[in-house]
Amino acid sequence: MQLDVTRKLGRRPTPRPLPQPPPPPPPPPRGLAGPAPFPLPQGRTGPATGHRVLLAPSLRVILRGLKAPPKARPGNPEQVFQARPLLAQQHVLGDRNLEGKQASEPLLVTALRTWMEKSLAQPRREVVEETGSPWQSLDTYSYTRYHPMEEIYQWMIQISEKYAGVATQHFLGMTYETRPMYYLKISQPSDNPKKIIWMDCGIHAREWIAPAFCQWFVKEILQNYKDNPRIGRFLRNLDFYVLPVLNIDGYIYTWTTDRLWRKSRSSHNNGTCFGTDLNRNFNVSWCSIGASKNCQDITFCGSGPVSEPETKAVSSFVESKKESIVCFLTMHSYGQLILTPYGYTKNKSSNHEELIQVGQKAANALKKKHGTNYRVGSSADILYATSGSSRDWARDIGIPFSYTFELRDNGTYGFILPAAQIQATCEETMEAVLSVLDDVYEKYWNSDSADKVTPATVVLGLLVSLVSIF
Amino acid sequence: MPPAASTPPAPRPGVPRPAALLLALALSLAVPGLRAAGPGPGPGSPGVPGAPPPGLLRQAARAALHFLNFRAGSPSGLRVLAAVLRGRAAVDARRTCRVDLEFTAERYGPEVADGRLGRCSARVVFRHQKPRPAVNVTCTRFMETSRRRREDFLLYKRAKRLRAPLGATSIPDSHGWIDPSLRPIWDLALLGSSYVMWERTTQTLQYYMAQLSSVNQWKTNEDAIDFDYTVLLHEFSTQEIIPCRIHLVWYPGKPLKVKYHCQELHTAQEGSGTEEGSAVAPTQPNNF
């Protein structure tokens, strides 16, 4: 199920009990002659309008033969290129090409052609790692285990199928290694305009607990919005946009090759150096401090602001929705911190006090769950200087509540947090995020205002009006 | 933590309004409800006048604990920082930074959740951005000495019986799993790494042991455990992973003997060091 990797001295899996045999594949979906070798996209609706049948039989045969060819790029012999998810996305891609522009060649064909050209040109290598079954059902999906990317792709499709009225999967862009990036939109259809909560996980590949939390978060919202009034009320006025894995190429690399990899897998200096630190690549005081122009460094800021396709995908999308986004949460590990802007300066954002207050309340809520201590402060104050971070960029384009969460632990296991701690970590983090959402919700939709007015707020209100008189 | 909010946001930031500020201050003192939620500023917090730079006290505490862990030579008695209580720092003309502090520590090990805290006081002297801080530290015991010695001896006996997996390995594995039978290896690896991490800690560089990546030698036929391994250290402020080869010789109750060599990824500076405990019997020849 997992590959244990070492940095320098080759690979040898640690002996582990064998995983359960995978459940048998489900019956083939409607519209296909036989079982497809890859997870199918969520169709728009039934077979009449859906795009489930993507391929001519001859093409399918070709693809089956090339099912999951690991692809070696020059200088990167151990990269595994997963073909399957690429093919599963035709329905949302329409006829845009990889840059998102209208193209004469359907995107699927472009992607297929690119992939086939590249994979056929490279020698095949063994995929050393066996991932879990791609056909498990959502009922048996374990939120207390770490999942490889293939399973996360599968999970997203299944989520959008099971919760079809409320959860939809959307294409965001392509990674450097041409894998599709998807986010889940959780939204209850209604007439009133919604504000948006954005959450992304896994911008740094080795921080596995973060994508695990994104999945947990989605599950909690969807399983509870009907019965839990606290969560249910969020969906009246808020949409959740959740990107479970931002740095997909890097994440896969931590499964196949180097568990402690952090950056993306973009190639630089003629294929001699790999990876940009995506959280140094955003267009905010780019590469001014706490980042490196040297590709060999782990905080390499890229060849320019937003030089990486992953950063570009997130930036463009978030920018396009910025008027509606009230909360931008980016999940990392480790350190047990709730960080406010900024990293690139010690100056504080205009709403710094409020951000600290909301953050501290969230840390208190988190601590109530399992006793875990989180510290709250600006990145420059309690972490270290950084520039080009997504959180700082989000704040500076006007998104008011912008936080970085650094999840468990404090260094005991660091990035390699035991799976046994996933549940507790997710439960306590959920409390923190819900606390932030409560505050955000009450700020913009001051419902139940009867108990909102307290003596403190009355005096504060007087004070503000007095101050404005002077 | 930033200081408690005592003034509401002014309509035009940056314009001083003494009358308004005085009024606000008076009101805020009279109305406790205006204070920001949460605990007040802690030691080393930003914005508190005269406080050491944020993070410096924690750095000093960590350096002190690495040093203490190494000196104690007890893999069952490893300590980690719980919280800084108070401290102050003084910098002299040569930019040598002397930190005096008090902090609490707890026993290392996620399985040990007894919540017992030991109290420590330390003086740590950082030469300007140079490693190997001078440390003077004392901590109250969180475990009786006899119990700790017993646990060390039990660990020693398990280690003697253990046939360690030689060669490339991943402890823990990618999912954070450490087989209980291999736990002595992990604890000893951390003990040896404590020496390395102490030596390398500066005012800004902060180390954790991320993963054991190979067991080069595990000799238990003599009295002492002779353990040669490679570990991946994580340096927090640069986020870099640094492979270090460490060779230690350990016998319960005796000072730890350790040699190491760390690889710097692409800068010129490589680091190595050695510490001999005089009470330990002469060892086999070191070959790196």
Side-chain angles (χ1 to χ4, degrees):
Chain A
M1 169 175 85
Q2 77 292 343
L3 181 71
D4 307 307
V5 299
T6 58
R7 216 154 223 276
K8 300 276 174 207
L9 301 168
R11 268 184 255 153
R12 199 187 88 168
T14 298
R16 282 208 60 177
L18 290 174
Q20 299 282 13
R30 291 168 294 172
L32 267 192
F38 45 82
L40 289 180
Q42 172 205 1
R44 289 216 168 94
T45 45
T49 55
H51 295 242
R52 279 187 184 273
V53 183
L54 305 180
L55 311 163
S58 56
L59 199 50
R60 226 185 302 137
V61 166
I62 294 170
L63 287 167
R64 206 169 292 168
L66 296 168
K67 204 189 317 189
K71 177 169 59 101
R73 286 180 176 268
N76 184 12
E78 302 187 288
Q79 174 220 326
V80 170
F81 182 73
Q82 292 187 353
R84 277 175 265 183
L86 200 53
L87 308 173
Q89 308 322 318
Q90 196 269 352
H91 77 295
V92 285
L93 302 181
D95 283 322
R96 286 177 301 153
N97 68 8
L98 291 175
E99 279 84 54
K101 304 191 182 73
Q102 285 297 111
S104 50
E105 180 182 67
L107 178 55
L108 174 65
V109 178
T110 309
L112 269 176
R113 182 175 50 74
T114 315
W115 169 71
M116 277 165 33
E117 282 166 9
K118 288 183 174 167
S119 58
L120 289 171
Q122 302 296 334
R124 291 189 62 144
R125 276 171 174 267
E126 277 307 301
V127 179
V128 183
E129 174 199 358
E130 273 307 305
T131 62
S133 154
W135 294 108
Q136 63 196 339
S137 86
L138 209 52
D139 300 328
T140 56
Y141 193 82
S142 173
Y143 292 93
T144 55
R145 275 200 343 240
Y146 295 115
H147 290 274
M149 196 61 215
E150 190 178 293
E151 290 180 5
I152 298 177
Y153 276 128
Q154 177 78 7
W155 168 82
M156 278 195 275
I157 291 169
Q158 290 173 338
I159 284 279
S160 52
E161 279 173 356
K162 174 166 184 179
Y163 297 97
V166 140
T168 46
Q169 180 181 307
H170 299 265
F171 178 77
L172 192 69
M174 300 290 269
T175 67
Y176 180 83
E177 291 175 339
T178 63
R179 296 185 176 90
M181 297 168 70
Y182 293 105
Y183 65 92
L184 287 167
K185 174 179 171 180
I186 302 174
S187 171
Q188 240 178 339
S190 88
D191 291 330
N192 50 309
K194 307 277 194 64
K195 291 287 186 189
I196 294 171
I197 307 291
W198 166 274
M199 182 187 293
D200 67 76
C201 298
I203 193 172
H204 289 140
R206 58 194 178 193
E207 299 167 10
W208 283 16
I209 187 61
F213 177 71
C214 264
Q215 294 166 70
W216 181 279
F217 179 79
V218 164
K219 175 256 293 180
E220 282 294 306
I221 299 289
L222 292 174
Q223 283 182 355
N224 294 305
Y225 77 95
K226 282 186 177 157
D227 306 318
N228 181 326
R230 184 190 188 192
I231 295 178
R233 74 172 178 156
F234 293 144
L235 287 181
R236 280 206 292 275
N237 296 98
L238 290 171
D239 288 345
F240 293 98
Y241 287 51
V242 180
L243 175 58
V245 184
L246 198 159
N247 180 6
I248 295 172
D249 299 343
Y251 185 70
I252 291 172
Y253 195 70
T254 59
W255 279 80
T256 58
T257 312
D258 182 352
R259 176 63 177 83
L260 293 171
W261 188 258
R262 167 185 166 95
K263 303 188 285 181
S264 69
R265 290 299 300 166
S266 56
S267 168
H268 302 272
N269 305 348
N270 274 326
T272 60
C273 180
F274 290 88
T276 297
D277 185 338
L278 297 174
N279 206 34
R280 302 287 185 276
N281 190 240
F282 283 78
N283 190 13
V284 59
S285 194
W286 177 78
C287 228
S288 59
I289 189 172
S292 168
K293 292 248 168 95
N294 183 342
C295 169
Q296 297 195 58
D297 285 331
I298 208 164
T299 54
F300 174 52
C301 51
S303 50
V306 206
S307 58
E308 306 305 305
E310 295 89 348
T311 324
K312 181 113 192 80
V314 172
S315 273
S316 309
F317 180 76
V318 169
E319 178 104 48
S320 72
K321 302 272 188 190
K322 68 179 178 185
E323 305 303 327
S324 307
I325 303 178
V326 291
C327 195
F328 183 94
L329 303 175
T330 178
M331 314 303 284
H332 293 240
S333 76
Y334 60 94
Q336 295 175 200
L337 305 165
I338 297 176
L339 300 170
T340 67
Y342 295 102
Y344 67 84
T345 173
K346 289 221 170 204
N347 293 342
K348 302 300 188 280
S349 62
S350 58
N351 63 341
H352 177 74
E353 295 289 343
E354 183 180 27
L355 288 179
I356 293 291
Q357 201 156 16
V358 170
Q360 191 54 59
K361 187 158 152 280
N364 296 344
L366 186 152
K367 181 168 176 160
K368 281 208 180 74
K369 193 74 186 175
H370 297 299
T372 309
N373 284 308
Y374 269 57
R375 292 181 297 133
V376 180
S378 86
S379 203
D381 282 344
I382 68 171
L383 190 63
Y384 40 69
T386 58
S387 57
S389 74
S390 63
R391 173 211 59 234
D392 287 352
W393 171 81
R395 184 63 194 87
D396 278 356
I397 61 165
I399 295 170
F401 289 88
S402 190
Y403 290 99
T404 305
F405 277 70
E406 295 277 358
L407 303 182
R408 284 197 196 180
D409 59 16
N410 252 334
T412 304
Y413 286 102
F415 301 116
I416 313 185
L417 190 71
Q421 288 192 45
I422 292 176
Q423 176 163 347
T425 308
C426 288
E427 286 172 346
E428 65 192 16
T429 309
M430 192 71 195
E431 289 303 317
V433 173
L434 288 176
S435 171
V436 172
L437 294 175
D438 280 337
D439 286 342
V440 168
Y441 190 88
E442 273 157 31
K443 183 185 171 87
Y444 292 95
W445 298 275
N446 198 359
S447 55
D448 322 322
S449 30
D451 40 31
K452 279 288 136 272
V453 178
T454 67
T457 57
V458 167
V459 178
L460 192 59
L462 278 173
L463 206 54
V464 173
S465 39
L466 277 170
V467 166
S468 54
I469 292 169
F470 283 94
Chain B
M1 292 298 302
S6 55
T7 43
R12 283 204 302 270
V15 180
R17 295 168 187 249
L21 286 173
L22 275 172
L23 179 63
L25 199 58
L27 275 170
S28 72
L29 287 171
V31 184
L34 280 176
R35 291 192 143 258
S45 325
V48 177
L56 179 61
L57 295 182
R58 296 176 69 84
Q59 274 301 94
R62 278 185 286 258
L65 285 175
H66 287 320
F67 181 77
L68 181 69
N69 287 334
F70 156 64
R71 272 282 183 236
S74 167
S76 316
L78 297 167
R79 289 174 164 97
V80 291
L81 174 63
V84 174
L85 298 171
R86 70 179 71 89
R88 59 182 189 277
V91 183
D92 71 11
R94 278 176 310 167
R95 309 241 247 157
T96 297
C97 181
R98 192 183 78 212
V99 184
D100 291 297
L101 74 156
E102 284 171 42
F103 56 95
T104 53
E106 59 192 358
R107 190 177 172 191
Y108 171 85
E111 300 76 17
V112 183
D114 57 17
R116 253 188 299 175
L117 295 179
R119 210 179 154 111
C120 304
S121 71
R123 165 169 290 184
V124 178
V125 181
F126 294 106
R127 292 173 301 144
H128 175 58
Q129 297 300 348
K130 287 202 172 49
R132 230 171 187 260
V135 172
N136 225 313
V137 58
T138 51
C139 288
T140 59
R141 287 193 294 258
F142 59 75
M143 193 173 17
E144 280 116 42
T145 311
S146 56
R147 186 177 150 206
R148 187 170 56 72
R149 286 214 184 109
R150 231 179 10 253
E151 298 206 0
D152 273 351
F153 200 68
L154 283 172
L155 192 152
Y156 170 74
K157 290 214 301 199
R158 282 164 59 209
K160 289 276 279 182
R161 287 196 299 266
L162 174 62
R163 256 199 218 123
L166 291 179
T169 187
S170 288
I171 298 172
D173 71 12
S174 288
H175 295 241
W177 168 257
I178 300 177
D179 194 291
S181 67
L182 299 179
R183 195 73 209 199
I185 297 184
W186 175 259
D187 290 337
L188 282 172
L190 186 54
L191 178 61
S193 300
S194 296
Y195 175 72
V196 181
M197 294 192 286
W198 159 59
E199 281 222 327
R200 295 180 66 97
T201 297
T202 68
Q203 283 130 301
T204 50
L205 297 179
Q206 189 188 139
Y207 291 90
Y208 299 91
M209 189 173 87
Q211 196 175 39
L212 181 63
S213 60
S214 84
V215 176
N216 308 313
Q217 183 170 277
W218 177 264
K219 276 211 213 154
T220 57
N221 46 320
E222 311 264 332
D223 281 344
I225 309 285
D226 186 312
F227 182 22
D228 183 323
Y229 59 100
T230 305
V231 90
L232 301 174
L233 298 185
H234 173 228
E235 199 290 300
F236 207 84
S237 64
T238 60
Q239 289 292 316
E240 290 283 359
I241 301 292
I242 295 141
C244 294
R245 182 156 179 181
I246 302 177
H247 185 183
L248 66 81
V249 176
W250 176 71
Y251 187 82
K254 300 280 203 289
L256 183 73
K257 197 169 162 176
V258 57
K259 263 171 129 75
Y260 74 91
H261 177 82
C262 291
Q263 201 168 69
E264 302 309 314
L265 296 173
H266 55 269
T267 63
Q269 166 205 19
E270 304 234 321
S272 47
T274 176
E275 177 80 9
E276 310 264 328
S278 55
V280 178
T283 59
Q284 304 81 356
N286 293 302
N287 47 14
F288 70 100

